[in-house]
Amino acid sequence: MSEEEITVPEIDVFEFRKWLDQQPGLLVLDVREPYEFPRAKLEDERVVYSPLSEMVRKGVEALPEEVKENRSANIVVICHHGNRSAQVTAWLLDMGWEAVYNLAGGIDAYARQIDPGIGLY
């Protein structure tokens, strides 16, 4: 497999901040586990949750309706550091979603570089 085939589209935290400000239709899919949510939380009505462990068990059925129904919407997938979200980004693209991006560095990078009020863990 070549490097191009395994490259996952991603955006950095600065671009993500712009997208949050400029794209009302943006979806943010948080794939962290429930125990992680209260530790660092992005307060935005466009954030939907589907823990990776649920997706492993249930596949597409574990996805929130907003994601299932919007295969062409811009979706940014987030986790703690960007590793799990990269896996989910690749999977969604492989399953036919059109515009899915991994948040490089995850919510940790976003909290450190953009909004320290989110919290760290």
Side-chain angles (χ1 to χ4, degrees):
M1 187 177 283
S2 73
E3 190 171 308
E4 291 81 30
E5 290 175 313
I6 59 171
T7 300
V8 173
E10 62 181 20
I11 63 170
D12 66 30
V13 295
F14 301 102
E15 188 70 14
F16 181 52
R17 177 73 251 162
K18 285 182 199 172
W19 285 20
L20 287 171
D21 290 341
Q22 298 170 359
Q23 294 187 35
L26 179 69
L27 289 173
V28 181
L29 176 60
D30 190 334
V31 299
R32 295 177 298 146
E33 297 302 314
Y35 72 88
E36 295 177 277
F37 299 154
R39 295 178 180 193
K41 189 171 183 178
L42 178 62
E43 296 288 345
D44 191 291
E45 67 277 355
R46 295 167 290 182
V47 177
V48 293
Y49 298 97
S50 184
L52 179 57
S53 61
E54 284 295 307
M55 285 184 268
V56 167
R57 284 195 292 277
K58 298 179 182 175
V60 172
E61 288 306 308
L63 292 171
E65 290 303 315
E66 298 91 333
V67 174
K68 285 195 260 186
E69 296 170 358
N70 291 294
R71 287 183 179 248
S72 61
N74 279 342
I75 300 171
V76 176
V77 185
I78 67 172
C79 68
H80 190 202
H81 289 116
N83 297 318
R84 290 173 284 176
S85 54
Q87 294 173 340
V88 172
T89 299
W91 176 68
L92 287 172
L93 289 167
D94 192 49
M95 296 293 289
W97 274 261
E98 299 170 15
V100 186
Y101 305 87
N102 181 45
L103 179 61
I107 199 165
D108 184 75
Y110 190 81
R112 290 179 190 279
Q113 297 177 44
I114 303 293
D115 185 358
I118 285 178
L120 298 169
Y121 66 102

